[in-house]
Amino acid sequence: MTASFGPSYVRAIAPYIAGKPISEVAREFGLDEASIVKLASNENPLGMPDSAKNAIAQAASELGRYPDSNGFELKAALSGRYDVPAEWVTLGNGSNDILEIAAHALVEKSQSIVFSQYSFAVYALATQGVGARAIVVPALRYGHDLDAMLAAITDDTRLVFVANPNNPTGTFIEGPKLEAFLDKVPRHVVVVLDEAYTEYLPEQKRYDSIAWVRRYPNLLVSRTFSKAFGLAGLRVGFAIAQPELTDLLNRLRQPFNVNTLAQAAAIAALNDKAFLEKSATLNAQGYRLLTEAFDKLGLEYVPSDGNFVLVRVGNDAAAGNRVNLELLKQGVIVRPVGNYGLPQWLRITIGLPEENAAFLAALEKTLATA
Ligand SMILES: Cc1ncc(COP(=O)(O)O)c(C=O)c1O
């Protein structure tokens, strides 16, 4: 008889599917790595800012020691930038870490977590990881249906995940609507507002979620250095919440969850306003280029406020797979989203102008031979 290790709810987890690495595609399709374009993981196409590279070079000499467990300097920098006490900040090994810690700190096995259909895959994973019940609320036009999410909250709900903008759909909830939602959520339910892409929002769409944190003790805002700040490989994210929540998160956080290089680079990137602006501008230009091309090709897409766009490349799962495979053969890696229940769609990360052009050329060629 084979042994079944671990709880059944852990065995039931389907592992997270990450974007295909360049080296794997090169091997599989016999391509030169240098010719491959990867638009699959919502990374910043500009790479890491020079300011962060310099900070890393300086911090490298300290690597014989453990990192600062409390992240004093990074928290001080975040505290200054977002005008909250440093005690309100929790650092994470990427914001993924924050999402996982929040689920573990706040939810028991017999309780439930509410999130939207087509929202970030890690919400389901974090829910399963604690053996809680997932209440998945049907999406509205590919985005969050906040009224339905509110109605779905039950007595045993302890956490609600909201992504704004959402991944993989790129949908955005306007500030006043979110605020009205927060006002109605019962106080025993924590809302994790995941703002991984917030730095890409144009001025007119911005809202002040940190002001809401001051008002709502049950709100936790999650942010990351992986996207607009360009530090995905270093794994740094953070949460801002009032002390009661922050204290709970810190009890479960691994003592050295953000490494020395990551802390140094994050401080530099946080202060590098020029890089952030350049990233947002490049993203807006790329978004325009891609969506204009989709319009010309007659392809449906979901309007996006992230650094990616979801495009429908066929009427069934077979068409989605075929287009994805043809793109891979041409050295273009994008993200199929069948695991999200969207098999006819592909998620394209907005790249550098030449990467976007290479993707569009490969897409046009593929569609022409359908
Ligand atoms: C909505 C959303 N939240 C969180 C994350 C996690 O990012 P990281 O762990 O790199 O901060 C991602 C990554 O793609 C995301 O799309």
Side-chain angles (χ1 to χ4, degrees):
M1 207 176 84
T2 47
S4 308
F5 297 116
S8 55
Y9 60 81
V10 174
R11 290 200 304 272
I13 295 175
Y16 181 82
I17 303 170
K20 258 181 184 295
I22 288 177
S23 53
E24 190 181 313
V25 174
R27 270 196 311 276
E28 237 174 82
F29 297 92
L31 299 166
D32 174 9
E33 282 194 21
S35 72
I36 291 176
V37 168
K38 185 181 176 213
L39 302 173
S41 298
N42 298 348
E43 294 143 339
N44 191 325
L46 292 170
M48 178 162 64
D50 287 340
S51 54
K53 284 183 195 157
N54 294 337
I56 285 176
Q58 281 184 21
S61 61
E62 299 159 30
L63 287 177
R65 296 192 186 281
Y66 281 102
D68 175 359
S69 165
N70 283 318
F72 179 84
E73 286 184 29
L74 176 53
K75 280 193 195 172
L78 290 165
S79 158
R81 165 63 76 90
Y82 298 109
D83 193 22
V84 289
E87 298 72 43
W88 290 30
V89 180
T90 310
L91 300 181
N93 188 245
S95 60
N96 198 138
D97 194 24
I98 297 290
L99 306 175
E100 293 277 354
I101 297 173
H104 281 272
L106 298 164
V107 190
E108 285 180 37
K109 201 167 168 276
S110 57
Q111 298 171 331
S112 65
I113 299 183
V114 170
F115 54 89
S116 175
Q117 179 189 25
Y118 308 142
S119 62
F120 185 42
V122 166
Y123 308 154
L125 290 173
T127 304
Q128 285 179 295
V130 292
R133 191 162 51 91
I135 300 179
V136 185
V137 177
L140 188 64
R141 290 185 290 279
Y142 300 101
H144 294 65
D145 181 344
L146 291 184
D147 290 337
M149 289 178 76
L150 206 54
I153 292 173
T154 64
D155 286 347
D156 68 14
T157 302
R158 291 294 175 275
L159 192 61
V160 178
F161 284 114
V162 176
N164 203 38
N166 182 44
N167 172 24
T169 61
T171 51
F172 174 71
I173 310 160
E174 283 134 29
K177 280 195 188 148
L178 257 181
E179 197 174 0
F181 170 77
L182 291 172
D183 228 29
K184 290 184 212 139
V185 171
R187 291 298 170 258
H188 70 277
V189 178
V190 171
V191 176
V192 170
L193 178 57
D194 176 353
E195 298 184 330
Y197 300 95
T198 200
E199 294 81 10
Y200 289 108
L201 290 176
E203 200 57 44
Q204 69 275 16
K205 290 195 169 171
R206 301 236 164 136
Y207 56 86
D208 189 358
S209 55
I210 309 300
W212 299 340
V213 171
R214 291 189 201 97
R215 268 208 341 262
Y216 300 106
N218 61 329
L219 173 63
L220 183 149
V221 168
S222 167
R223 301 255 178 111
T224 185
F225 282 93
S226 299
K227 311 296 176 184
F229 290 105
L231 303 182
L234 281 169
R235 316 301 302 124
V236 206
F238 61 97
I240 297 181
Q242 288 194 24
E244 194 188 341
L245 276 181
T246 305
D247 178 59
L248 266 186
L249 260 55
N250 269 309
R251 287 167 197 239
L252 278 185
R253 185 180 65 83
Q254 281 183 36
F256 304 106
N257 64 336
V258 181
N259 71 69
T260 304
L261 302 184
Q263 291 187 32
I267 294 169
L270 190 67
N271 292 322
D272 196 339
K273 293 214 167 114
F275 181 82
L276 212 53
E277 270 170 35
K278 194 172 163 191
S279 302
T281 304
L282 185 78
N283 190 61
Q285 286 165 351
Y287 178 74
R288 229 172 297 129
L289 181 93
L290 291 183
T291 51
E292 279 170 15
F294 295 155
D295 282 335
K296 275 198 204 124
L297 292 166
L299 296 177
E300 183 186 355
Y301 60 89
V302 181
S304 170
D305 281 294
N307 65 346
F308 54 89
V309 55
L310 195 62
V311 61
R312 186 178 192 143
V313 292
N315 294 325
D316 53 25
N321 286 335
R322 188 191 79 86
V323 173
N324 184 49
L325 183 64
E326 290 305 318
L327 291 174
L328 284 172
K329 283 186 197 161
Q330 295 170 79
V332 177
I333 314 172
V334 298
R335 181 71 74 93
V337 279
N339 58 322
Y340 279 95
L342 296 162
Q344 311 108 325
W345 299 75
L346 296 175
R347 191 196 66 193
I348 321 300
T349 300
I350 296 163
L352 296 171
E354 58 273 25
E355 293 173 326
N356 298 331
F359 156 69
L360 286 174
L363 180 67
E364 281 169 29
K365 201 165 154 196
T366 301
L367 295 177
T369 59

